[in-house]
Amino acid sequence: MEIGDDDGRTRTGTLWTATAHAVTAILGSGVLALPWSVAQLGWALGPVVLIAFAFVTYYTAILLSDCYRYPGPLTGRRNYTYIDVVRSYLRESDVLVCGFVQYALLWGTMIGYTITAAMSMISLKYTSCYRDKGSLAECGAAPGNTFMIIFGAMEIILSQFPNLEKIAVLSVVASATSFAYSFIGLYLCAQFLISNHEIRGSLFGEEIGANGISSPSKVWHEFQALGNIAFAYTYSMLLIEIQDTIKSPPSENKTMKKASVYGIGITTLFYASVGCVGYAAFGNKAPGNILTGFYQPFWLVLIAHLSLIIHLAGAYQVFAQPIFAIHEKWLSSIWPSASFFHKSYTVRLPFTKARSLQFRLSKLLFRTAFVILSTFIAMMFPFFNAIVGLLGSIAFWPLTIYFPVSMHIAQVKIKRGSCKWMALQTLSMFSLLVTIVGAIGSAIDIVENLKQAKLFKFVM
């Protein structure tokens, strides 16, 4: 018989499941764009920026994990979501900003993952065609909307998992596949680097005037690179939700700190390796998605894209479950006695012994409708990855820096004007500057995409 925690809930999460959730949330398809980001910054700044973002993300994750309970890190009331933590320590206006930014970023990432998955499915089609007909074959256009619908149908099924705690297995699978395509991308870049017999790239990235690049374009690309790297390290928005799945003892914050060390450490190792080796192989001509630079060996590239699709399917749910939870809780509070929101139905699964599936009509309909809406928006704006980059840039400062720092100051009562207070405020202001320039670069990219975009037209 399982014994509930101090709030009556039973938690089964461990260090390893929390680490799996963390790796799934952090290590996403963004790793494949890092060679391009390093190429914009050059050898002088690219690796330094990658490591700096890792240290900042880890430091604020430690601060945030101590805020899971209120008023202290070891005892007190639990906060189940990021918004609950902000509500406990800060003002109501901060709660509104946090809620808007967090859930906008979560939803934007879901839409971006739908587009990215469709692109990988298209790449699978082309790679298979080249394998069968030769690298110079005419394989025809691949309609991306069809693949988006296929991916959306997969997510409708996966979205019926009850909550984030129940998709631990899905996160483990997603983490394993993220390692697979990251390793493959790293291997392909390393092989290409060896075949070149030289390390490519330059100290400050592509020079002005080379390949027609102008001074403004170089600046916008550098800004966008900062935004892409910031988005790649976006993790804090899910940290509290992950921490709320962990059983105790030991204390939840102690386990979450270890999970953050492992999760951020593993992803940083991959980020630095793929970003730097990819830049050394391709130089200033590094593609936006490093896997698109390869079609051979066919079987390895096929495995890479298939692994990416599986990872996105699992990561999609890690981002979706907090949205489902907050809306379902809100709707249930409005209609506390409505059977539509509270009555559970049981369906016996065929070809199994004593196996059944429980569901609520509200969850079945709401989650299905939400995934359909997300897929529909992805089909309307197939350049939405640029918007996700903008959301990531905007969200980095408030979610990863400002709120954790402000709540830490309130929790330990750091005196205003003290050395530690000044150091934390300096970190916050510098991160705000990074967010602003990253947002500007992403906004310029959105404008360029708008000039060429056609609604419901996604063909590669």
Side-chain angles (χ1 to χ4, degrees), residues 300-354:
L300 195 59
V301 176
L302 285 170
I303 292 175
H305 284 295
L306 184 60
S307 298
L308 177 57
I309 293 168
I310 295 173
H311 169 79
L312 292 175
Y316 185 104
Q317 288 302 313
V318 173
F319 287 90
Q321 289 293 334
I323 296 180
F324 296 155
I326 192 69
H327 281 86
E328 288 163 4
K329 180 181 179 181
W330 175 65
L331 291 172
S332 297
S333 65
I334 295 178
W335 293 284
S337 59
S339 59
F340 179 76
F341 296 102
H342 300 278
K343 184 177 180 179
S344 297
Y345 297 87
T346 301
V347 176
R348 188 169 298 279
L349 299 177
F351 310 113
T352 61
K353 293 183 178 180

Side-chain angles (χ1 to χ4, degrees), residues 22 36 56 118 204 231 251 281 310 389-390 403 429 435:
W36 180 89
V56 170
F204 298 104
F231 178 72
S251 61
I310 295 173
L390 176 62
F403 289 128
M429 291 300 100
T435 283

Side-chain angles (χ1 to χ4, degrees), residues 265-316:
I266 291 170
T267 53
T268 301
L269 178 62
F270 277 99
Y271 283 177
S273 299
V274 175
C276 294
V277 175
Y279 181 45
F282 287 91
N284 295 327
K285 295 182 180 180
N289 181 336
I290 200 66
L291 286 182
T292 62
F294 304 97
Y295 285 105
Q296 291 182 340
F298 294 119
W299 65 273
L300 195 59
V301 176
L302 285 170
I303 292 175
H305 284 295
L306 184 60
S307 298
L308 177 57
I309 293 168
I310 295 173
H311 169 79
L312 292 175
Y316 185 104

Side-chain angles (χ1 to χ4, degrees), residues 370-384:
F370 195 85
V371 173
I372 291 175
L373 176 62
S374 302
T375 306
F376 180 77
I377 294 176
M379 293 167 61
M380 283 183 64
F381 304 104
F383 58 92
F384 206 85

